């Protein structure tokens, strides 16, 4: 088969990505192994299976050990015999191939396309991803071109407003958005695109394409590192190392591409500073002159807001698409672990406390009860990127009213250790524009950085993404495997709060 719907969507984003996906998909030099993408794929399968229950009693096209021609023939046979719902219904028109997640055949003979995505949508402001619009319109094009009468084209996503009760209500969990008009309006443009894309796919040589905004829109390109490496955009000190604050900034991602395509490929090559806002200019000049910038007065003012004992707090959370427990929403950040280093400020070794369940379960109540036992109401709590910790605490307070007063007292007493780095009271050229604690600790707490490197070298949990995936994996592990993962999680999260202790010590040394 020539052009699948995934290839078509890739072609809309970037024809080079489409060609690479067709001809070099198994080449790890182009498409590096990506555990996050694998997790997304598995999540999509889980959500897709559940969505089929909205249209129960259908038949599934055999996937394994069958060719696409056989899948197409099986689909045709099921339609002929009057099957109401077909899962993974397969069609091809002149080499353009689609597999419809859930195809409904109405008594009138009309068809309804139901495309399932594992992302959320807000019912009050439904704004589907651009890639979804292209995906579903391509399916309509194929079926309409084959002569089928398509009555409706629906996108089925998770309802971001849904809160689970005692039982899961799939009719409330899913939100169905009618995109029929959009699909029909794209018919002629899709026909032109298909002809154009098929010619590109027939080429023996890889298409030429400059890197640009399309590398991250509508989603991060899987072959980005390959293309950026070809273009010379991955060198140390690249202009793309300049930290940005979002699309509304005058100095944004498009500006960086303009610099790059005007042969200003590194920060060292930037000479005209007239139109660069001060926030970005700090990084650029620090990089060019290998500077460390320290605003001692501002740092002292920040330190004056803290009082000992300081409770250094860090949560680990995980997300699940389909809410498992009462009061949870799709993709809600559910805390399952915390680490707490308590620094008395008298030079003594900080006290360490921690929480992590011994098995996969709803951890929220036990975590909240332990937390209010470990942190008094009236102490100074320090977090790095405190907005996250505050969000967790506020959520817990909403769920557990009997603990709400204490949890919100902790919430109200949190200070943010990220502030002096976000505001650039401190900036070291080696940060490369970043200000996460992982960017700061190699500079102000190098001994901690060595700890993370040692974990990574041993293949243990060494970053937040791995920690997020570890806890839900408990449900499929043996007792011994769970204990090993617990040991790694405790070590990792404990190092996170110890890093905060050491970074704060580093800040204090700068102004003493």
């Amino acid at each position: 088969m020539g052009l699948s719907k995934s290839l078509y969507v890739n072609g809309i984003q970037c024809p080079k990505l489409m060609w690479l996906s067709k001809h070099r998909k198994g080449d790890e030099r182009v498409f590096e192994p990506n555990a996050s993408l694998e997790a997304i794929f598995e999540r999509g399968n889980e959500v897709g299976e559940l969505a089929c229950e909205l249209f129960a009693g259908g038949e599934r096209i055999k996937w394994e050990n069958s060719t696409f021609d056989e899948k197409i023939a099986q689909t045709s046979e099921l339609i002929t015999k009057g099957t109401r719902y077909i899962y993974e219904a397969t069609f091809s028109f002149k080499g353009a191939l689609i597999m419809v997640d859930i195809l409904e055949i109405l008594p009138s003979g009309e068809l309804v396309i139901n495309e399932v995505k594992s992302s959320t949508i807000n019912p009050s402001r439904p704004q589907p991803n651009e890639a979804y619009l292209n995906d579903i319109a391509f399916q309509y094009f194929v079926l309409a071109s084959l002569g089928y009468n398509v009555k409706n084209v629906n996108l089925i996503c998770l309802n971001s407003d849904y809160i689970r009760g005692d039982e899961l209500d799939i009719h409330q969990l899913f939100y169905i958005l009618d995109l029929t008009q959009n699909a029909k309006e794209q018919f002629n443009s899709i026909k032109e695109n298909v002809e154009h894309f098929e010619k590109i796919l027939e080429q023996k040589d890889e298409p030429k394409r400059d890197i640009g905004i399309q590398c991250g829109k509508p989603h991060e390109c899987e072959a980005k590192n390959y293309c950026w490496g070809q273009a010379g955009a991955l060198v140390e000190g690249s202009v793309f190392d300049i930290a940005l604050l979002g699309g509304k900034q005058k100095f944004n991602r498009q500006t960086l591409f303009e610099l790059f395509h005007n042969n200003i490929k590194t920060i060292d090559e930037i000479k005209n500073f007239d139109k660069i806002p001060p926030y970005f200019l700090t990084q650029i000049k620090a990089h060019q002159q290998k500077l460390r910038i320290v605003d001692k007065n501002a740092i002292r003012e920040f330190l004056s807001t803290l009082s000992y004992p300081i409770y250094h707090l860090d949560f680990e959370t995980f997300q699940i698409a389909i809410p498992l427990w009462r009061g949870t929403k799709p993709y809600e950040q559910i805390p399952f672990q915390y680490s707490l280093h308590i620094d008395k400020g008298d030079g003594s070794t900080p006290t360490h406390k921690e929480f992590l369940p011994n098995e996969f379960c709803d951890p929220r109540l036990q975590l909240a009860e332990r937390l209010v036992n470990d942190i008094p109401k009236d102490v100074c709590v320090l977090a790095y990127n405190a907005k996250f910790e505050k969000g967790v605490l506020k959520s817990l307070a909403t769920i557990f009213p009997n603990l709400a007063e204490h949890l919100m007292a902790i919430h109200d007493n949190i200070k943010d250790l990220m502030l002096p780095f976000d505001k650039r009271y401190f900036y070291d050229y080696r940060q490369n524009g970043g200000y996460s604690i992982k960017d700061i600790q190699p500079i102000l707490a190098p001994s901690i950085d060595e700890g993370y490197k040692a974990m990574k070298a041993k293949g243990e949990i060494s970053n937040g993404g791995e920690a997020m995936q570890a806890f839900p994996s408990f449900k499929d592990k043996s007792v011994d495997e769970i204990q090993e993962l617990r040991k790694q999680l405790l070590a990792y999260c404990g190092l996170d709060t110890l890093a905060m202790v050491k970074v704060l010590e580093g800040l204090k040394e700068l102004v003493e």
Side-chain angles (χ1 to χ4, degrees):
M1 296 298 174
L3 186 67
S4 67
K5 65 177 183 178
S6 60
L7 286 175
Y8 179 81
V9 171
N10 284 346
I12 294 296
Q13 179 168 351
C14 174
K16 182 178 179 181
L17 170 62
M18 176 187 67
W19 190 94
L20 290 169
S21 298
K22 176 74 173 180
H23 295 284
R24 299 189 63 182
K25 187 60 178 178
D27 190 339
E28 293 188 358
R29 294 169 297 179
V30 180
F31 298 100
E32 301 172 8
N34 190 320
S36 296
L37 286 177
E38 291 175 8
I40 291 171
F41 182 75
E42 291 178 8
R43 189 164 61 226
N45 288 338
E46 181 184 9
V47 172
E49 289 285 342
L50 185 62
C52 288
E53 296 183 18
L54 295 170
F55 308 87
E59 295 201 42
R60 183 174 299 278
I61 299 301
K62 183 180 179 182
W63 174 254
E64 294 182 352
N65 302 318
S66 67
T67 66
F68 282 116
D69 285 338
E70 290 170 335
K71 292 178 176 65
I72 292 167
Q74 186 185 358
T75 300
S76 178
E77 181 183 340
L78 290 173
I79 292 175
T80 300
K81 78 174 190 179
T83 304
R84 181 65 185 271
Y85 304 117
I86 305 175
Y87 315 133
E88 304 295 343
T90 309
F91 303 88
S92 178
F93 174 73
K94 294 183 178 180
L97 175 74
I98 62 169
M99 298 187 74
V100 181
D101 288 339
I102 304 170
L103 182 72
E104 180 177 5
I105 300 93
L106 300 174
S108 63
E110 297 171 298
L111 304 185
V112 177
I113 296 171
N114 294 290
E115 174 68 12
V116 182
K117 299 296 183 185
S118 59
S119 59
T120 59
I121 197 164
N122 186 334
S124 61
R125 298 190 306 277
Q127 297 178 327
N129 183 297
E130 179 185 343
Y132 297 169
L133 296 176
N134 293 325
D135 179 322
I136 206 163
F138 181 72
Q139 295 180 55
Y140 172 81
F141 165 79
V142 170
L143 287 177
S145 298
L146 288 169
Y148 290 103
N149 185 357
V150 181
K151 181 179 182 181
N152 286 100
V153 181
N154 298 324
L155 176 66
I156 303 178
C157 290
L158 297 169
N159 179 356
S160 63
D161 288 343
Y162 173 71
I163 301 175
R164 175 171 175 152
D166 290 330
E167 302 294 333
L168 184 69
D169 184 344
I170 62 170
H171 296 282
Q172 295 298 318
L173 171 66
F174 288 104
Y175 181 81
I176 301 177
L177 181 64
D178 187 339
L179 294 176
T180 310
Q181 187 61 35
N182 172 77
K184 290 181 176 180
E185 290 173 354
Q186 288 198 55
F187 185 91
N188 290 330
S189 62
I190 290 176
K191 183 178 181 180
E192 294 176 2
N193 288 337
V194 166
E195 293 173 356
H196 176 57
F197 291 166
E198 286 177 341
K199 291 178 182 178
I200 293 174
L201 289 174
E202 290 171 0
Q203 296 175 11
K204 292 183 179 179
D205 297 324
E206 178 181 305
K208 304 296 182 185
R209 182 70 187 271
D210 285 338
I211 63 173
I213 293 297
Q214 78 279 356
C215 298
K217 186 178 180 181
H219 54 75
E220 190 85 356
C221 174
E222 294 176 60
K224 177 180 174 181
N225 285 346
Y226 171 75
C227 295
W228 283 42
Q230 286 182 325
L234 298 180
V235 298
E236 185 176 350
S238 162
V239 292
F240 297 107
D241 285 342
I242 297 175
L244 300 179
L245 298 179
K248 295 182 179 180
Q249 295 294 321
K250 294 180 180 178
F251 200 69
N252 57 25
R253 182 64 66 183
Q254 184 60 52
T255 307
L256 300 186
F257 282 115
E258 289 171 2
L259 288 171
F260 188 84
H261 294 310
N262 284 317
N263 211 33
I264 301 174
K265 297 189 174 184
T266 66
I267 297 173
D268 286 332
E269 293 170 318
I270 299 174
K271 304 302 179 187
N272 183 359
F273 304 137
D274 294 343
K275 296 182 180 180
I276 299 177
Y279 185 89
F280 309 109
L281 195 57
T282 297
Q283 179 188 353
I284 293 168
K285 288 190 172 182
H287 180 91
Q288 290 181 348
Q289 300 173 41
K290 301 298 181 283
L291 293 178
R292 170 179 286 188
I293 296 168
V294 181
D295 186 336
K296 292 188 176 183
N297 289 333
I299 292 173
R300 288 191 185 100
E301 184 176 346
F302 167 75
L303 294 174
S304 71
T305 67
L306 309 179
S307 59
Y308 287 93
I310 295 176
Y311 285 65
H312 297 264
L313 175 65
D314 181 63
F315 288 118
E316 297 297 338
T317 63
F318 73 102
Q319 295 177 305
I320 45 176
I322 301 169
L324 293 177
W325 304 300
R326 179 179 179 83
T328 56
K329 302 172 68 172
Y331 295 108
E332 182 175 343
Q333 295 278 6
I334 299 176
F336 65 88
Q337 177 182 9
Y338 68 77
S339 175
L340 191 65
H341 268 91
I342 306 166
D343 185 0
K344 296 179 181 178
D346 58 4
S348 61
T349 301
T351 303
H352 183 230
K353 297 185 178 184
E354 58 192 3
F355 169 83
L356 175 63
N358 289 308
E359 61 183 359
F360 183 70
C361 61
D362 182 353
R364 295 170 298 164
L365 177 58
Q366 191 179 357
L367 180 145
E369 289 175 337
R370 284 281 296 276
L371 192 69
V372 299
N373 185 62
D374 286 344
I375 304 180
K377 291 182 181 180
D378 56 352
V379 296
C380 178
V381 182
L382 198 59
Y384 204 100
N385 189 15
K387 181 179 179 181
F388 178 79
E389 268 68 26
K390 283 189 170 186
V392 170
L393 286 162
K394 193 170 184 179
S395 176
L396 291 172
T398 301
I399 299 166
F400 306 118
N402 58 318
L403 302 175
E405 181 185 357
H406 197 136
L407 289 167
M408 289 307 296
I410 297 171
H411 170 284
D412 295 343
N413 289 330
I414 287 186
K415 306 292 184 182
D416 197 341
L417 183 56
M418 188 173 74
L419 187 145
F421 307 104
D422 178 14
K423 299 293 185 183
R424 291 194 165 163
Y425 303 158
F426 172 92
Y427 184 79
D428 186 290
Y429 72 94
R430 291 170 291 176
Q431 292 172 225
N432 286 327
Y435 53 84
S436 74
I437 195 162
K438 297 298 192 295
D439 296 311
I440 301 301
Q441 70 200 17
I443 300 164
L444 292 184
S447 62
I448 298 296
D449 195 52
E450 290 303 314
Y452 288 111
K453 289 178 179 177
M455 290 174 175
K456 184 174 182 180
K458 291 187 289 185
E460 298 177 349
I461 294 168
S462 60
N463 62 63
E466 292 170 348
M468 179 178 287
Q469 294 179 28
F471 180 66
S473 77
F474 279 18
K475 62 180 180 292
D476 301 317
K477 303 293 185 182
S478 68
V479 173
D480 290 343
E481 288 172 327
I482 290 173
Q483 289 309 307
E484 175 58 29
L485 282 175
R486 284 192 81 255
K487 183 179 74 173
Q488 294 181 26
L489 281 167
L490 292 170
Y492 170 73
C493 194
L495 201 57
D496 277 354
T497 48
L498 184 59
M500 293 165 57
V501 173
K502 296 301 182 183
V503 166
L504 182 61
E505 289 176 358
L507 271 183
K508 292 169 62 179
E509 290 172 3
L510 291 171
V511 298
E512 287 177 352

